[in-house]
Amino acid sequence: MQLAICTDVFADLSYTEMLDKVKSLGIDAVEMTAGGWGARKHCDTARLLENPAELKVFQEELEKRGMRIAALNTSCNPLWPSGTGEEYKKSMYACVDLAEKLGVTKIVAMAGLPAGNETDTTPNWITSTVSWPDFMAPAYEYQWKVTIAFWKEFAEYAKNHKIEQIAIEEFPGTMVWSAETMLKLREATDPIIGINLDPSHMMILGADPIAAARALKGCIYHVHGKDARIERGLADTNGILEPKPVTKSSDRVWNYVAVGCGKDLQWWKEFFSVLSMMGYHGDISLEMEDLTMSVEAGVNTSIDALRQTISQ
């Protein structure tokens, strides 16, 4: 396994400044947003597709530093029935086009979340039983129908443009938020679809990412190095569902934190050991979203923890 980094954490730096910063940290692989709702600060997909000269320079800056692209990220909600949803969808296809030109064979995405029926326009994440009220089951069935149809079509387009892996992040608030929902989508669509296993999202829902890794053997295509902490006292009182803004760290029942500030290093060693046993030997892409400390502190803390624990 090799350490990579999601570059949106350095969105205030230019492309070349970001590359130099990442290289100074001893990291040679980057995951950049090229579609969806990410910053896209370092990868202007439209310009790179329209201007071969800029694309050439973009690649040369990587090559002269001995760096590579671990994946292009296009996370968003393409299933939102709105103009914004349509723009997200277009950006995902453009990301595939750019990946082909760059020789990148893996993209990271999210499954998306439809509305509850054909006439609704608000995405609806169903987290309670569909047994009651009686309109819940048809809504859930409709959402899966829409989700599967989109991903069948997108997977076919990706394959035709030399993409080998679509790594879908199991993200709360989307149709794929667990090992079971990941396997459901994969089985209904195409084996090109696998998981971007982000352990932090499983942690905040009470799942065990290590057990999930075993269940997902053979379809783990990408891994985010990201930690979370369920806050003692608050979660005991209110449970783990948390709609408060992520900026309200002190009041939330859980928070994304630097690696090692949620689970200890022994846990992370076991996690990576099990990933290796399950056949995953790819990149571990640090995604630093800890708002309880500075970016510099969060990045350095996480890198230190990951270097002590990843299986190489």
Side-chain angles (χ1 to χ4, degrees):
M1 298 177 191
Q2 290 183 296
L3 186 57
I5 191 165
C6 300
T7 66
D8 275 2
V9 71
F10 299 129
D12 58 331
L13 301 179
S14 70
Y15 175 59
T16 54
E17 288 171 338
M18 175 276 292
L19 293 180
D20 289 338
K21 176 66 175 179
V22 172
K23 191 71 177 179
S24 74
L25 294 170
I27 298 174
D28 295 324
V30 290
E31 177 183 334
M32 292 182 287
T33 51
W37 52 39
R40 279 189 262 176
K41 177 68 181 292
H42 307 123
C43 188
D44 189 331
T45 303
R47 287 187 62 179
L48 293 174
L49 287 173
E50 293 167 2
N51 192 325
E54 287 197 27
L55 182 65
K56 184 173 183 291
V57 171
F58 180 87
Q59 291 175 294
E60 287 174 348
E61 293 294 343
L62 283 161
E63 291 166 2
K64 72 185 184 182
R65 293 170 175 81
M67 299 178 71
R68 62 184 174 82
I69 298 174
L72 290 181
N73 190 307
T74 182
S75 295
C76 60
N77 183 8
L79 307 182
W80 182 10
S82 67
T84 303
E86 286 301 313
E87 288 301 313
Y88 285 154
K89 192 180 299 184
K90 290 177 184 176
S91 77
M92 289 179 65
Y93 280 89
C95 177
V96 169
D97 295 338
L98 180 60
E100 182 180 24
K101 288 184 178 295
L102 290 169
V104 174
T105 59
K106 177 168 64 178
I107 62 172
V108 175
M110 291 178 183
L113 182 66
N117 60 46
E118 295 90 339
T119 60
D120 196 1
T121 58
T122 303
N124 189 341
W125 190 39
I126 298 174
T127 58
S128 62
T129 175
V130 298
S131 300
W132 182 89
D134 58 7
F135 62 79
M136 297 295 277
Y140 195 58
E141 291 168 7
Y142 168 78
Q143 288 182 312
W144 271 110
K145 178 182 175 181
V146 170
T147 303
I148 290 167
F150 170 80
W151 282 103
K152 278 185 176 180
E153 182 178 305
F154 187 79
E156 191 63 27
Y157 185 85
K159 287 193 296 183
N160 290 337
H161 289 77
K162 300 180 182 178
I163 300 299
E164 297 174 1
Q165 295 180 325
I166 301 172
I168 294 184
E169 186 171 338
E170 72 325 334
F171 188 71
T174 71
M175 294 301 290
V176 170
W177 50 271
S178 64
E180 183 177 59
T181 51
M182 173 72 255
L183 293 172
K184 179 173 181 173
L185 181 63
R186 176 180 167 89
E187 290 164 6
T189 54
D190 193 289
I192 193 177
I193 291 175
I195 194 167
N196 166 31
L197 205 170
D198 185 321
S200 69
H201 302 319
M202 292 185 173
M203 293 172 191
I204 64 173
L205 293 176
D208 179 0
I210 296 174
R214 291 183 178 276
L216 291 162
K217 181 180 181 180
C219 60
I220 302 171
Y221 289 170
H222 196 65
V223 175
H224 273 174
K226 185 175 167 193
D227 206 346
R229 183 175 63 234
I230 296 178
E231 304 293 358
R232 60 184 72 189
L234 296 178
D236 297 332
T237 302
N238 296 320
I240 57 177
L241 296 180
E242 181 53 272
K244 296 187 191 74
V246 293
T247 52
K248 301 290 185 181
S249 302
S250 62
D251 300 323
R252 289 173 53 84
V253 299
W254 60 262
N255 286 292
Y256 295 128
V257 292
V259 179
C261 295
K263 299 293 187 181
D264 62 23
L265 297 191
Q266 180 178 344
W267 185 94
W268 283 97
K269 288 177 181 178
E270 182 181 356
F271 175 62
F272 292 128
S273 176
V274 171
L275 282 176
S276 181
M277 287 192 291
M278 295 304 106
Y280 184 77
H281 306 293
D283 291 301
I284 307 300
S285 190
L286 167 60
E287 187 177 30
M288 212 300 287
E289 296 182 356
D290 190 330
L291 300 183
T292 72
M293 60 179 74
S294 69
V295 168
E296 195 78 11
V299 168
N300 289 334
T301 297
S302 297
I303 289 174
D304 181 59
L306 290 170
R307 285 212 169 106
Q308 292 183 68
T309 56
I310 62 174
S311 300
Q312 300 187 43

